[in-house]
Amino acid sequence: MTIEAISGAATVALTSTILFLFIAKFWSVLSKTIGGGPTFADSIMRESAQRFRDELDRLSASQSIYLGGALVFVMLFAAAYLLQAEQLFVGYPDWQLHIQIGFLALALGFAAYQLGKTIIARRQVKFLQDATIAIGHQLRQISAGNTQVFHDVETSAGVVDHVLIGQSGLYAINVVARRAPRDGSVRLCGNALQFSNVNSDESIVDIAARTKRLEKVFCGMLGHKARVRSVIAAPGWEIVEQSHEDHLLVNERNIGMLTGWKDNSDHLMNEDVDALKDALTVRCRRSASVEKPRRGSDGALRSPA
């Protein structure tokens, strides 16, 4: 296998692969544009982890395009080599061929990096989606009568994963998703979550800000003070200790205990409950835009802060 043969085959394969990726990306955007959103967007509510579902679909499409591009490159490289594509570079000095090989290596490295980043991001979004859905399904089981749960409620401080509205009170449920080891535990100390398998704590300041912002919005809608209780859900983790009166720390198995976290001042009149439900029904329709998951300082995709 000579350098001319490698250069010729790789050039043909890479050029064709770049063209394939461009066409595939363009077709993906075109299909999404033509397809549009849900047909009855004004009558369809957001499901649990809706923004993660949408992001997962986008990443899955990108992953398929990159994997398809890798297969196209391998097939075309083999075909070009067997068809003696080295004739393209006959007579070229070796230093030019080495530069060409270096450029091809950089291009392949960048493509491999993009593919790896997409696979990792998709895996993270899939985990966030599953964790949020697990909590959402448990909330649906405990919501009955005049109690209703809404998902992906957007505020100016970020997205609240779930909001429970009923006569007995208002609850903002935010999901903190981390992969839990066997017998992994978490405790709430001050304004941070302490996980048993990591040295660094996770701040809940952003969660508190989202809850306060939602409470302010609800008070403005009702014209009087209404408390929104903050619930933090850590799926898969054992809850060891909670030392914060402003937050309730739960997992997917004991989230039902939030219904007992209330007092008489949390009680709402029927008209207040109906007004909030009507407002969130409009806000949580599929036709309303919602903030997408964003990348944290560690490079991992996570829920908007």
Side-chain angles (χ1 to χ4, degrees):
M1 183 177 289
T2 64
I3 189 171
E4 290 86 355
I6 296 175
S7 297
T11 300
V12 171
L14 184 61
T15 303
S16 301
T17 300
I18 291 175
L19 180 61
F20 167 81
L21 291 176
F22 175 79
I23 294 174
K25 286 283 189 180
F26 174 77
W27 184 257
S28 177
V29 173
L30 181 63
S31 299
K32 184 177 180 180
T33 302
I34 295 176
T39 304
F40 304 100
D42 289 337
S43 301
I44 300 177
M45 302 293 291
R46 295 175 193 154
E47 298 181 17
S48 180
Q50 186 64 60
R51 65 193 188 282
F52 296 125
R53 296 172 191 264
D54 296 340
E55 181 68 7
L56 187 63
D57 288 342
R58 187 190 69 79
L59 290 172
S60 296
S62 294
Q63 178 178 279
S64 297
I65 290 174
Y66 285 125
L67 289 175
L71 179 60
V72 167
F73 177 83
V74 172
M75 293 177 60
L76 290 179
F77 180 87
Y81 180 77
L82 293 175
L83 294 174
Q84 299 181 346
E86 67 268 17
Q87 298 299 324
L88 295 172
F89 294 95
V90 171
Y92 280 73
D94 287 348
W95 67 269
Q96 290 186 1
L97 297 178
H98 283 99
I99 292 177
Q100 177 72 8
I101 291 295
F103 171 77
L104 295 173
L106 288 175
L108 290 175
F110 177 75
Y113 168 76
Q114 288 294 110
L115 175 59
K117 186 173 68 171
T118 301
I119 292 174
I120 293 174
R122 184 185 181 280
R123 183 171 179 266
Q124 177 68 6
V125 171
K126 180 66 167 60
F127 176 71
L128 290 173
Q129 174 192 257
D130 290 347
T132 308
I133 289 176
I135 298 300
H137 284 181
Q138 295 303 313
L139 287 172
R140 285 193 177 275
Q141 292 183 17
I142 66 176
S143 60
N146 203 29
T147 302
Q148 187 173 350
V149 59
F150 296 87
H151 309 289
D152 283 3
V153 179
E154 192 167 16
T155 73
S156 59
V159 179
V160 178
D161 293 307
H162 313 284
V163 174
L164 197 66
I165 296 178
Q167 287 183 318
S168 59
L170 307 172
Y171 300 88
I173 301 95
N174 288 279
V175 179
V176 177
R178 282 199 179 191
R179 300 184 186 276
R182 180 173 297 181
D183 300 327
S185 61
V186 59
R187 67 181 68 215
L188 178 58
C189 295
N191 290 321
L193 295 175
Q194 296 180 349
F195 294 89
S196 59
N197 67 328
V198 294
N199 295 325
S200 59
D201 300 341
E202 179 151 338
S203 174
I204 62 170
V205 172
D206 291 334
I207 290 177
R210 292 198 291 270
T211 304
K212 288 297 182 184
R213 178 59 60 179
L214 184 65
E215 182 176 276
K216 184 177 180 180
V217 171
F218 283 175
C219 291
M221 291 178 180
L222 299 177
H224 61 79
K225 183 173 177 57
R227 179 178 181 181
V228 177
R229 291 185 178 270
S230 174
V231 180
I232 301 174
W237 294 85
E238 293 296 330
I239 310 303
V240 175
E241 178 184 349
Q242 177 185 303
S243 60
H244 205 303
E245 297 180 356
D246 295 331
H247 305 276
L248 176 67
L249 182 60
V250 297
N251 56 31
E252 76 282 9
R253 297 182 298 276
N254 64 2
I255 193 171
M257 65 187 298
L258 70 83
T259 57
W261 188 38
K262 59 186 177 181
D263 55 39
N264 292 333
S265 62
D266 295 331
H267 185 80
L268 296 174
M269 302 297 290
N270 286 338
E271 53 268 28
D272 291 338
V273 174
D274 292 339
L276 293 179
K277 286 182 179 180
D278 291 343
L280 285 193
T281 297
V282 174
R283 184 175 292 219
C284 294
R285 287 172 178 166
R286 286 297 305 272
S287 56
S289 62
V290 65
E291 184 182 355
K292 294 181 179 180
R294 62 188 184 184
R295 198 170 298 278
S297 57
D298 56 356
L301 284 169
R302 60 189 63 205
S303 174

